[in-house]
Amino acid sequence: MTPMARLAGRTAVVTGASRGIGRGIAERLGRDGALVAVHYGNDGDAAAATVAAVEKDGGRAFAFRAELDRPDAVDVFYAALDRGLAGAGAGREVDILVNNAGASGSGRLHQLTPEVFDRLFAVNVKAPLFLVQRALDRFRDGGRIVNVSSLVSRNAYPESVTYSMTKGALDTMTLALAKELGPRGITVNTVAPGYVATDMNARHRTTPEAVAELAALSALGRVGTPQDIADVVAFLASDDARWITGQYLAAGGGTGL
C-alpha cells in the first residue's frame, strides 16, 4: 500500500493544526490520503497555510475555528466541523481524532494564578475529553484517537507545574478511554514529545548555545522536529497500529536516558 493510499477514505480531525506539531501531523495525514480537518483557535492565516500545504502535496483539507477555552467550546467546535465537512462533500463520520491543541506557560509554583490554571486545564484536559465524548456517535468502529502529551508528565518539570499536571491527566485519560472504546475496535494512545523546535518553544533557543544544550538532552544529539512527531502519530493512525492501544509512546529521541 502506498503512503497516499494508507488512509484513503478516512476523515482525520487534528486540533491545534495551524502551526508546529499540529501542522506537521495534518500534512502527514494528508499525504497518507485522509481528508484533514485543520482546527485552529485564533490564527486563521496560519491554518490556511496548513491547508495549502496539504493540498500542495495532493491531499484534501479544510480549516475550522473553535476557541477551546470557552464554555461552549465543544458546541462551537462540532458546528464548525460539520460546516467544513459538508463543504468538503463528506459525511459527519470521523475516523481519526488527534488531540494536539495545548496551552502552556503556567510558570513555577510561586507564579501560579487560578486564571491560568483554569485555562490550561480547559484547553489541555477538558476539551479533549469532551471532544471525544461528543464524537462517540460519529466515530466509526476501528477508529483512532491520539493524544499529544509531553515527556514532562513523566519527569519533574517545576518550571511549568500546571502544564505538567494537565499532561499527566491526559495520559490517564488515554488509559481509561482505551479500555472504554476497545470493544468498538477504537484505539487510544498517547504520543509524548520531548523538546521540539516550534514557535511555542522559540524562547528556549535564542542562542546557538541554548540550542546545543537542548540537543544534548537527547541521546540522538539533536532537537526534535514536528515531522518526527507527525510520523509517530501517522503510524498510530494507520492499520499497522491496530494491536496497540492504551500506550504511552515517548517521542523524545531518547531524552533523559
Side-chain angles (χ1 to χ4, degrees):
M1 184 178 294
T2 64
M4 180 56 79
R6 187 174 291 125
L7 299 178
R10 302 184 195 183
T11 297
V13 180
V14 184
T15 68
S18 63
R19 296 179 297 175
I21 291 173
R23 175 171 175 166
I25 293 169
E27 291 180 7
R28 173 60 200 268
L29 297 182
R31 286 196 298 272
D32 285 358
L35 168 63
V36 184
V38 175
H39 162 262
Y40 71 98
N42 293 295
D43 196 338
D45 290 340
T50 299
V51 171
V54 172
E55 293 176 341
K56 182 179 179 180
D57 285 339
R60 300 171 62 216
F62 64 87
F64 70 104
R65 182 184 182 189
E67 296 176 58
L68 297 182
D69 58 350
R70 289 175 41 165
D72 59 350
V74 176
D75 292 335
V76 173
F77 184 98
Y78 280 107
L81 173 62
D82 284 341
R83 288 193 295 271
L85 289 170
R92 65 190 295 273
E93 294 80 15
V94 171
D95 301 280
I96 300 160
L97 171 62
V98 182
N99 284 311
N100 166 77
S104 63
S106 63
R108 291 182 175 272
L109 182 61
H110 69 280
Q111 299 170 312
L112 303 183
T113 66
E115 293 78 16
V116 173
F117 180 96
D118 290 345
R119 179 172 185 272
L120 264 61
F121 267 89
V123 175
N124 297 0
V125 182
K126 182 180 178 180
L129 178 62
F130 285 95
L131 289 180
V132 172
Q133 182 196 58
R134 185 69 64 85
L136 290 179
D137 69 341
R138 64 170 69 211
F139 236 97
R140 292 189 179 98
D141 290 353
R144 302 284 187 264
I145 298 171
V146 183
N147 297 318
V148 179
S149 180
S150 170
L151 292 184
V152 301
S153 70
R154 301 291 176 93
N155 298 281
Y157 190 59
E159 292 85 351
S160 193
V161 60
T162 303
Y163 176 77
S164 300
M165 292 169 64
T166 65
K167 293 305 185 180
L170 195 65
D171 298 347
T172 300
M173 188 182 88
T174 291
L175 293 172
L177 295 183
K179 193 165 187 178
E180 177 84 9
L181 301 178
R184 292 182 55 189
I186 298 172
T187 67
V188 188
N189 291 288
T190 289
V191 173
Y195 184 82
V196 178
T198 65
D199 292 345
M200 180 182 291
N201 294 323
R203 66 187 183 279
H204 296 303
R205 55 180 202 280
T206 55
T207 67
E209 291 77 16
V211 174
E213 183 177 347
L214 291 168
L217 297 175
S218 164
L220 299 178
R222 66 173 176 84
V223 171
T225 68
Q227 290 70 35
D228 291 327
I229 311 305
D231 289 347
V232 178
V233 172
F235 164 67
L236 291 174
S238 75
D239 290 338
D240 290 343
R242 61 191 175 278
W243 199 233
I244 300 174
T245 195
Q247 299 305 302
Y248 175 99
L249 276 71
T255 295
L257 292 181

